Amino acid sequence: MNDTHSAIMTAMTLDEATWLMDTALGRRPADLAIVNANLVNVYTGEILPNQGVCVSGRWIAYTGEDPRTSIGRETRVIDAAGKTVIPGLIDGHTHISNPCLPSEFLRYVMKGGTTSLIAEMMEPYPVAGIDGAIDFAEALGDQPIKIFTTMPAMVSISHACRGIALDDLRILADRPETVGIGESYWQAVIQSPEVYLPALLETRRRGMVLEGHTAGASTRKLQAYTAMGITSCHEPVKPMEVLERLRLGVNVMLREGGVRKDLEVLAGILETGVDLRRVSVCTDSVAPDDLVSNGYLECVVQKAIDCGFAPMDAIRMATLNVAEHFHLDHLIGGIAPGRYADLVVIPDIRTIQAEWVVSNGRVIAEEGRLLIQPRRHPFSEASLNTIHLPRRMEAADFDVASPAKGPRVRVRAMEMVTDLVTAERHLDMPVADGRIAADPPNDIVKIAAIDRRITPGKTFTGFIKGLHMTHGAVAISAAWDSTDIIVAGANEDDMATAVNRILDLQGGFVICAGGRVVEEISLPVFGYMSLEPIETVAEKLNRMARVIREMGVTFPDPALSFVTLTGAAIPYLRICEEGYVNLKDGLTGGLFPDDSGEGEH
């Protein structure tokens, strides 16, 4: 285990405690002091003028009107000159494993004032097991800011990926950065409690949080799910959904990030006048281009203020409220003696623009410029080789045989209702030489899921409508909640070429047309992350989006649309290496209506 990581997540040492008291008493000079500041006290809701904050090591020793007693010749002094000091910002729910390295992601996160993150671990675990999860956790340690983690609940539409092994959960739960178990989709928990409750109950027994995912749940189903001890949800998209969950004791995270931007609508909760102490904000992930161009959590807090939240409430929703939810408020979330020295100097309480950022007692950024760089982690060979296909794919691997003779046959297909939501459709498809081909002129192409780890090479090929793909193929190895590669294509040759390129790259996002690769991003870390700078990844993703649009696919984030097709959280017909899965009933079915289970047709 990384010693520095362990030290940051644990209580102060005896030496640190002694130095801290001596600094507070003026017997030992502070290492750092911020003076002449308006201090935002999130505990009382006050803005205190003419304040000083004195820091000893990584801890706050003193806050008040007379910091001079604790300032010596060796103390670094920052004169805030009447500007405002707030606690370091905390993102309570995010995914940082796709598509950039954590160190690249942190370069932009840190300079905006975020000093703590709670990150999901669901991506590396299914494709690389417990060793991969630990490797990823180590990549998050010994960084200039604190990164806490939640264990993967492993709610998957694939039976092969369902549920985290209890022995693995206990290994991760014993790690110092672990604060709970990550989002568990309510439908699966209710449909298969025997699979998921053991992990949830073990986490609850340890006094850790159980992060929830309640999109679409209401009334009795919502209560049945929250009765399992669910502590939070970041999925409400309407103010009344926020209110319903708050009334059940659930901490609600208002999401504003790469998957959805809900904050403007959810600001309607202010009209109810309810207490906001159990409301926070989160990103749930941020796309590279958005992160590079616009920033991170500081932009979310600013938007909350712009949407009508009182500045004190908006700041609390990214500091104290988050810390209290994760039982970390004795360490982070506020400015007071004995807390980590995580501080951000901003122009005023209504302007969330970091001029100085202090994390763990060190100045890590000034005026948008990083002074301390994130650590780049050397991932293991196993983590860099997670695409395990038994052989190279051939066009024939995506052939679909008709089950009956005749010129046409009825098939089940996915239909893209939006860029993320799918429905089931039954289509009459032509049959030629006993096979069913894609039909791009009628907006029907093939979609396949290929297992890359548990049963390597196992493939299910179906059909998808609504992509508007006219030619070529797109493949990506970063499919959600699974061990699958996803490939969609107007012809089988390009589909095979795209998947084989992913095998060569050991992970990637690939576009093929006319039998050749036309654009690609290599994603060799778990098949999810690039080794390239975030700016390069952002540029490549934008270029690939343009190429995919030229192929007819007009979705705003094509990569997101493809990787979510295996996800167990977005309604309602999904795909994995086992077949189609209807999230309404959890049943897995095949390509033809007579083997579709009990789902809605």
Side-chain angles (χ1 to χ4, degrees):
M1 185 180 298
N2 186 303
D3 291 337
T4 306
H5 198 163
S6 180
I8 286 179
M9 301 303 177
T10 54
M12 67 182 67
T13 66
L14 178 60
D15 284 343
E16 285 179 312
T18 303
W19 298 336
L20 200 59
M21 286 194 297
D22 286 345
T23 300
L25 293 168
R27 297 194 298 227
R28 183 178 186 274
D31 297 307
L32 172 70
I34 299 176
V35 299
N36 300 322
N38 292 320
L39 189 146
V40 172
N41 191 308
V42 292
Y43 304 112
T44 62
E46 299 173 284
I47 303 175
L48 305 173
N50 302 316
Q51 298 287 296
V53 181
C54 296
V55 175
S56 175
R58 55 198 174 119
W59 306 98
I60 296 171
Y62 169 89
T63 66
E65 295 181 351
D66 185 19
R68 293 172 297 175
T69 304
S70 299
I71 295 176
R73 287 183 298 178
E74 302 301 319
T75 302
R76 177 178 179 181
V77 178
I78 295 176
D79 186 350
K83 294 177 181 178
T84 299
V85 179
I86 64 173
L89 304 179
I90 310 167
D91 191 346
H93 177 79
T94 194
H95 299 256
I96 63 175
S97 61
N98 184 19
C100 297
L101 293 175
S103 53
E104 289 296 308
F105 172 80
L106 291 177
R107 286 174 46 217
Y108 284 88
V109 168
M110 289 160 44
K111 61 185 181 181
T114 298
T115 58
S116 295
L117 301 167
I118 290 82
E120 286 275 353
M121 292 277 286
M122 64 170 61
E123 290 83 7
Y125 180 76
V127 298
I130 186 63
D131 291 339
I134 291 172
D135 197 17
F136 182 64
E138 292 294 326
L140 308 182
D142 194 17
Q143 297 290 1
I145 68 172
K146 290 171 285 299
I147 305 177
F148 302 90
T149 62
T150 52
M151 301 172 288
M154 282 317 303
V155 179
S156 174
I157 62 173
S158 169
H159 288 80
C161 288
R162 289 183 181 174
I164 182 173
L166 281 181
D167 286 345
D168 290 347
L169 180 140
R170 293 180 182 116
I171 290 170
L172 294 175
D174 287 340
R175 292 183 61 86
E177 71 275 4
T178 304
V179 293
I181 195 165
E183 54 187 323
S184 59
Y185 313 134
W186 70 272
Q187 297 100 323
V189 173
I190 290 177
Q191 290 164 359
S192 303
E194 73 284 355
V195 175
Y196 300 109
L197 288 190
L200 299 183
L201 294 176
E202 173 69 13
T203 303
R204 188 174 185 179
R205 183 185 68 79
R206 290 169 173 261
M208 294 176 160
V209 297
L210 280 65
E211 299 302 275
H213 191 291
T214 67
S218 60
T219 59
R220 291 191 178 275
K221 289 180 180 179
L222 177 61
Q223 298 209 25
Y225 176 62
T226 57
M228 298 304 97
I230 299 301
T231 55
S232 79
C233 182
H234 58 280
E235 288 293 325
V237 295
K238 300 176 183 177
M240 290 311 296
E241 292 176 348
V242 175
L243 183 59
E244 184 180 20
R245 285 148 182 78
L246 289 175
R247 286 172 172 167
L248 297 179
V250 174
N251 283 267
V252 177
M253 300 180 185
L254 312 182
R255 175 171 49 188
E256 185 75 12
V259 177
R260 288 187 61 102
K261 298 185 186 297
D262 299 318
L263 189 52
E264 186 173 357
V265 171
L266 296 182
I269 191 65
L270 294 171
E271 297 177 10
T272 68
V274 297
D275 194 316
L276 300 176
R277 64 182 300 272
R278 296 173 73 86
V279 177
S280 59
V281 290
C282 74
T283 64
D284 197 16
S285 75
V286 176
D289 182 59
D290 199 14
L291 185 59
V292 170
S293 301
N294 301 316
Y296 192 63
L297 192 60
E298 70 280 6
C299 301
V300 180
V301 179
Q302 184 66 62
K303 185 169 182 177
I305 295 171
D306 296 342
C307 287
F309 286 92
M312 184 66 70
D313 287 333
I315 291 167
R316 280 173 167 160
M317 291 193 301
T319 57
L320 182 62
N321 292 8
V322 189
E324 287 182 336
H325 168 60
F326 289 101
H327 314 309
L328 296 170
D329 53 302
H330 62 299
L331 297 174
I332 58 177
I335 302 173
R339 272 66 170 186
Y340 277 108
D342 296 343
L343 310 160
V344 187
V345 179
I346 58 177
D348 59 75
I349 195 171
R350 302 192 67 88
T351 307
I352 313 302
Q353 181 178 325
E355 299 190 9
W356 284 279
V357 181
V358 178
S359 176
N360 301 320
R362 299 190 297 172
V363 181
I364 63 170
E366 182 177 348
E367 300 290 353
R369 179 172 57 90
L370 280 186
L371 304 180
I372 298 175
Q373 293 295 323
R375 178 184 67 86
R376 186 181 175 106
H377 176 72
F379 282 94
S380 71
E381 273 303 302
S383 296
L384 294 169
N385 291 275
T386 63
I387 310 297
H388 303 296
L389 299 183
R391 60 172 174 81
R392 300 181 73 78
M393 301 294 288
E394 300 174 357
D397 293 322
F398 303 107
D399 282 349
V400 176
S402 174
K405 295 180 179 179
R408 302 188 71 84
V409 67
R410 194 162 179 80
V411 302
R412 300 173 71 208
M414 307 175 75
E415 181 173 27
M416 301 298 297
V417 179
T418 71
D419 59 325
L420 299 179
V421 175
T422 60
E424 178 173 337
R425 293 290 180 264
H426 288 187
L427 306 172
D428 287 319
M429 300 282 293
V431 178
D433 298 325
R435 297 182 302 171
I436 310 167
D439 187 5
N442 287 307
D443 187 24
I444 303 168
V445 298
K446 286 187 173 180
I447 180 81
I450 307 154
D451 189 357
R452 61 178 169 109
R453 178 178 182 249
I454 298 173
T455 52
K458 182 177 182 179
T459 301
F460 173 77
T461 302
F463 293 93
I464 188 165
K465 184 177 178 64
L467 284 180
H468 309 297
M469 183 182 289
T470 60
H471 63 282
V474 176
I476 190 164
S477 58
W480 282 14
D481 309 322
S482 74
T483 57
D484 289 344
I485 297 168
I486 285 291
V487 58
N491 69 82
E492 295 83 357
D493 286 322
D494 284 334
M495 292 173 72
T497 300
V499 174
N500 288 334
R501 183 56 181 160
I502 285 178
L503 176 62
D504 293 339
L505 295 171
Q506 276 301 299
F509 180 21
V510 177
I511 304 171
C512 287
R516 65 182 184 86
V517 175
V518 295
E519 289 288 352
E520 68 181 24
I521 297 177
S522 174
L523 303 173
V525 184
F526 304 121
Y528 277 90
M529 290 183 281
S530 171
L531 296 172
E532 296 185 283
I534 188 171
E535 298 87 353
T536 303
V537 174
E539 179 183 345
K540 286 186 175 183
L541 284 172
N542 286 335
R543 189 165 67 238
M544 294 183 77
R546 289 195 296 270
V547 172
I548 292 174
R549 280 193 288 271
E550 292 169 359
M551 297 166 66
V553 181
T554 59
F555 298 141
D557 186 346
L560 182 65
S561 298
F562 286 115
V563 299
T564 55
L565 292 174
T566 56
I570 301 174
Y572 74 88
L573 191 69
R574 305 280 97 179
I575 189 173
C576 70
E577 79 287 349
E578 297 174 347
Y580 293 129
V581 180
N582 184 332
L583 296 187
K584 291 185 177 182
D585 52 31
L587 295 178
T588 303
L591 189 57
F592 302 101
D594 59 356
D595 60 1
S596 62
E598 302 291 329
E600 179 182 331
H601 295 164

Coordinates of all heavy atoms in Angstrom, one line a residue, residues 489-534:
G489 N -22.0 -1.3 -36.9 CA -21.5 -1.1 -38.3 C -22.5 -1.4 -39.4 O -23.4 -2.1 -39.2
A490 N -22.3 -0.7 -40.5 CA -23.1 -0.9 -41.7 C -22.7 -2.2 -42.5 O -23.4 -2.6 -43.3 CB -23.0 0.3 -42.6
N491 N -21.4 -2.7 -42.2 CA -21.0 -3.9 -42.8 C -20.0 -4.7 -41.9 O -19.4 -4.1 -41.1 CB -20.4 -3.6 -44.2 CG -19.0 -2.9 -44.1 OD1 -18.0 -3.6 -43.8 ND2 -19.0 -1.6 -44.2
E492 N -20.0 -6.0 -42.1 CA -19.3 -6.8 -41.2 C -17.8 -6.7 -41.4 O -17.0 -6.9 -40.4 CB -19.7 -8.3 -41.5 CG -21.1 -8.6 -41.1 CD -22.1 -8.3 -42.3 OE1 -21.6 -7.7 -43.3 OE2 -23.3 -8.5 -42.1
D493 N -17.3 -6.4 -42.6 CA -15.8 -6.3 -42.7 C -15.3 -5.1 -41.9 O -14.2 -5.3 -41.2 CB -15.5 -6.0 -44.2 CG -15.7 -7.3 -45.1 OD1 -15.3 -8.4 -44.6 OD2 -16.2 -7.2 -46.2
D494 N -15.9 -4.0 -41.9 CA -15.5 -2.8 -41.1 C -15.6 -3.1 -39.7 O -14.8 -2.7 -38.8 CB -16.2 -1.6 -41.5 CG -15.8 -1.0 -42.8 OD1 -14.6 -1.2 -43.2 OD2 -16.6 -0.3 -43.5
M495 N -16.6 -3.8 -39.3 CA -16.8 -4.2 -37.9 C -15.6 -5.0 -37.4 O -15.0 -4.8 -36.3 CB -18.1 -5.0 -37.6 CG -19.4 -4.1 -37.9 SD -20.9 -5.1 -37.8 CE -21.0 -5.4 -36.1
A496 N -15.2 -6.1 -38.2 CA -14.1 -6.9 -37.8 C -12.8 -6.1 -37.8 O -12.0 -6.3 -36.8 CB -14.0 -8.1 -38.8
T497 N -12.6 -5.2 -38.7 CA -11.4 -4.4 -38.8 C -11.3 -3.5 -37.5 O -10.2 -3.4 -36.9 CB -11.4 -3.5 -40.0 OG1 -11.4 -4.4 -41.2 CG2 -10.1 -2.7 -40.1
A498 N -12.4 -2.9 -37.1 CA -12.4 -2.0 -36.0 C -12.1 -2.8 -34.7 O -11.3 -2.3 -33.9 CB -13.7 -1.3 -35.8
V499 N -12.7 -4.0 -34.5 CA -12.4 -4.7 -33.3 C -11.0 -5.2 -33.3 O -10.3 -5.2 -32.2 CB -13.4 -5.9 -33.2 CG1 -13.0 -6.8 -32.0 CG2 -14.8 -5.4 -33.0
N500 N -10.5 -5.7 -34.4 CA -9.1 -6.1 -34.5 C -8.1 -5.0 -34.1 O -7.0 -5.3 -33.5 CB -8.8 -6.7 -35.8 CG -9.5 -8.1 -36.0 OD1 -9.7 -8.8 -35.1 ND2 -9.7 -8.4 -37.3
R501 N -8.4 -3.8 -34.5 CA -7.5 -2.7 -34.2 C -7.5 -2.4 -32.7 O -6.5 -2.1 -32.1 CB -8.0 -1.4 -34.9 CG -7.1 -0.2 -34.7 CD -5.6 -0.5 -35.1 NE -4.7 0.6 -34.8 CZ -3.4 0.5 -34.7 NH1 -2.8 -0.7 -34.7 NH2 -2.7 1.6 -34.5
I502 N -8.7 -2.6 -32.0 CA -8.8 -2.5 -30.6 C -7.9 -3.6 -29.9 O -7.2 -3.3 -28.9 CB -10.2 -2.6 -30.1 CG1 -10.9 -1.3 -30.4 CG2 -10.3 -2.9 -28.6 CD1 -12.4 -1.3 -30.0
L503 N -7.9 -4.8 -30.5 CA -7.0 -5.8 -30.0 C -5.6 -5.4 -30.1 O -4.8 -5.6 -29.2 CB -7.3 -7.1 -30.7 CG -6.4 -8.3 -30.4 CD1 -6.6 -8.7 -28.9 CD2 -6.7 -9.5 -31.3
D504 N -5.2 -4.9 -31.2 CA -3.8 -4.5 -31.4 C -3.4 -3.4 -30.5 O -2.3 -3.3 -30.0 CB -3.6 -4.0 -32.9 CG -3.8 -5.1 -33.9 OD1 -3.6 -6.2 -33.6 OD2 -4.1 -4.7 -35.1
L505 N -4.3 -2.4 -30.2 CA -4.0 -1.3 -29.3 C -4.1 -1.7 -27.9 O -3.7 -0.9 -27.0 CB -5.0 -0.2 -29.6 CG -4.9 0.5 -31.0 CD1 -6.1 1.5 -31.2 CD2 -3.6 1.3 -31.2
Q506 N -4.7 -2.8 -27.6 CA -5.1 -3.2 -26.2 C -6.0 -2.2 -25.6 O -5.9 -1.8 -24.4 CB -3.8 -3.5 -25.4 CG -3.2 -4.8 -25.5 CD -4.2 -5.9 -25.1 OE1 -4.7 -6.0 -24.0 NE2 -4.6 -6.8 -26.1
G507 N -7.0 -1.8 -26.4 CA -8.0 -0.9 -25.9 C -8.1 0.3 -26.8 O -7.0 0.9 -27.2
G508 N -9.3 0.8 -27.1 CA -9.3 2.0 -28.0 C -10.7 2.3 -28.4 O -11.7 1.6 -28.1
F509 N -10.8 3.4 -29.1 CA -12.0 3.9 -29.7 C -11.6 4.1 -31.2 O -10.7 4.8 -31.5 CB -12.4 5.3 -29.1 CG -13.6 6.0 -29.6 CD1 -14.6 5.3 -30.3 CD2 -13.8 7.3 -29.4 CE1 -15.7 5.9 -30.8 CE2 -14.9 8.0 -29.9 CZ -15.9 7.3 -30.6
V510 N -12.3 3.3 -32.1 CA -11.8 3.2 -33.5 C -13.0 3.4 -34.4 O -14.1 2.9 -34.2 CB -11.2 1.8 -33.7 CG1 -10.8 1.6 -35.1 CG2 -10.0 1.5 -32.7
I511 N -12.7 4.1 -35.5 CA -13.6 4.3 -36.6 C -13.0 3.7 -37.9 O -11.8 4.0 -38.2 CB -13.9 5.8 -36.9 CG1 -14.4 6.4 -35.6 CG2 -14.9 5.9 -38.0 CD1 -14.5 8.0 -35.7
C512 N -13.8 2.8 -38.5 CA -13.3 2.2 -39.8 C -14.3 2.5 -40.9 O -15.5 2.6 -40.7 CB -13.2 0.7 -39.6 SG -11.8 0.2 -38.6
A513 N -13.8 2.6 -42.1 CA -14.6 2.7 -43.3 C -13.8 2.2 -44.5 O -12.6 2.4 -44.6 CB -15.0 4.2 -43.5
G514 N -14.5 1.5 -45.4 CA -13.8 1.0 -46.5 C -12.7 0.0 -46.2 O -11.7 -0.1 -47.0
G515 N -12.8 -0.7 -45.1 CA -11.8 -1.7 -44.8 C -10.5 -1.2 -44.1 O -9.6 -1.9 -43.9
R516 N -10.5 0.1 -43.8 CA -9.3 0.7 -43.1 C -9.7 1.6 -41.9 O -10.8 2.1 -41.9 CB -8.5 1.5 -44.1 CG -9.2 2.7 -44.7 CD -8.4 3.5 -45.7 NE -9.0 4.7 -46.1 CZ -8.9 5.9 -45.5 NH1 -8.1 6.0 -44.4 NH2 -9.5 6.9 -45.9
V517 N -8.8 1.7 -41.0 CA -9.0 2.6 -39.9 C -8.8 4.1 -40.3 O -7.8 4.4 -40.9 CB -7.9 2.3 -38.8 CG1 -8.1 3.3 -37.6 CG2 -8.1 0.9 -38.3
V518 N -9.8 4.9 -40.0 CA -9.8 6.3 -40.4 C -9.5 7.2 -39.3 O -8.9 8.3 -39.4 CB -11.0 6.7 -41.2 CG1 -11.2 6.0 -42.5 CG2 -12.3 6.5 -40.3
E519 N -9.9 6.8 -38.0 CA -9.6 7.6 -36.8 C -9.5 6.6 -35.7 O -10.2 5.6 -35.6 CB -10.6 8.7 -36.5 CG -10.6 9.8 -37.5 CD -9.4 10.8 -37.3 OE1 -8.7 10.6 -36.3 OE2 -9.3 11.7 -38.1
E520 N -8.7 7.0 -34.7 CA -8.6 6.1 -33.5 C -8.0 6.9 -32.3 O -7.3 7.9 -32.5 CB -7.7 4.9 -33.7 CG -6.3 5.2 -33.9 CD -5.4 4.0 -34.2 OE1 -6.0 3.0 -34.7 OE2 -4.2 4.0 -34.0
I521 N -8.4 6.4 -31.1 CA -7.7 6.8 -29.9 C -7.3 5.5 -29.2 O -8.1 4.6 -29.0 CB -8.6 7.6 -29.0 CG1 -9.0 8.9 -29.6 CG2 -7.9 7.9 -27.6 CD1 -10.0 9.8 -28.8
S522 N -6.0 5.4 -28.8 CA -5.6 4.3 -28.0 C -6.0 4.4 -26.6 O -5.8 5.5 -26.0 CB -4.0 4.2 -28.2 OG -3.6 3.1 -27.4
L523 N -6.5 3.4 -26.0 CA -7.0 3.3 -24.6 C -6.4 2.1 -23.9 O -7.1 1.2 -23.5 CB -8.5 3.4 -24.5 CG -9.2 4.5 -25.2 CD1 -10.7 4.3 -25.1 CD2 -8.9 5.8 -24.5
P524 N -5.1 2.1 -23.7 CA -4.5 0.8 -23.2 C -4.6 0.5 -21.7 O -4.4 -0.6 -21.3 CB -3.0 1.0 -23.6 CG -2.8 2.5 -23.5 CD -4.1 3.1 -24.0
V525 N -5.0 1.5 -20.9 CA -5.1 1.3 -19.5 C -6.5 0.8 -19.2 O -7.5 1.6 -19.3 CB -4.8 2.6 -18.7 CG1 -4.8 2.3 -17.2 CG2 -3.4 3.2 -19.1
F526 N -6.6 -0.5 -18.9 CA -7.9 -1.2 -18.7 C -8.8 -1.1 -19.9 O -10.0 -1.5 -19.8 CB -8.6 -0.6 -17.5 CG -7.9 -0.5 -16.2 CD1 -7.6 0.6 -15.5 CD2 -7.4 -1.7 -15.6 CE1 -6.9 0.7 -14.3 CE2 -6.7 -1.7 -14.5 CZ -6.4 -0.5 -13.8
G527 N -8.4 -0.6 -21.0 CA -9.2 -0.4 -22.2 C -10.1 0.8 -22.0 O -11.0 1.0 -22.8
Y528 N -9.8 1.6 -21.0 CA -10.6 2.8 -20.7 C -9.8 4.1 -20.9 O -10.4 5.1 -21.2 CB -11.1 2.7 -19.3 CG -12.3 1.9 -19.1 CD1 -12.3 0.6 -18.8 CD2 -13.6 2.5 -19.2 CE1 -13.4 -0.2 -18.6 CE2 -14.7 1.8 -19.0 CZ -14.6 0.4 -18.7 OH -15.8 -0.3 -18.5
M529 N -8.5 4.1 -20.6 CA -7.8 5.3 -20.5 C -6.6 5.4 -21.5 O -5.9 4.5 -21.7 CB -7.2 5.5 -19.0 CG -8.2 5.7 -18.0 SD -7.5 5.9 -16.3 CE -7.2 4.2 -15.9
S530 N -6.4 6.7 -22.0 CA -5.3 6.9 -22.9 C -4.1 7.3 -22.1 O -4.2 7.9 -21.0 CB -5.7 8.1 -23.8 OG -4.6 8.6 -24.6
L531 N -2.9 7.1 -22.7 CA -1.7 7.6 -22.1 C -1.3 9.0 -22.6 O -0.3 9.5 -22.1 CB -0.6 6.6 -22.4 CG -0.7 5.2 -21.8 CD1 0.4 4.2 -22.4 CD2 -0.6 5.2 -20.3
E532 N -2.1 9.5 -23.4 CA -1.7 10.8 -24.0 C -2.2 12.0 -23.2 O -3.1 11.8 -22.3 CB -2.4 10.9 -25.4 CG -1.8 9.9 -26.4 CD -2.4 10.1 -27.8 OE1 -3.5 9.7 -28.0 OE2 -1.7 10.7 -28.7
P533 N -1.7 13.2 -23.4 CA -2.1 14.3 -22.6 C -3.6 14.6 -22.8 O -4.2 14.3 -23.9 CB -1.3 15.5 -23.2 CG -0.1 14.8 -23.8 CD -0.6 13.5 -24.3
I534 N -4.3 15.2 -21.9 CA -5.7 15.4 -21.9 C -6.1 16.3 -23.1 O -7.1 16.1 -23.7 CB -6.3 15.9 -20.6 CG1 -7.8 15.9 -20.6 CG2 -5.7 17.3 -20.3 CD1 -8.4 16.3 -19.3

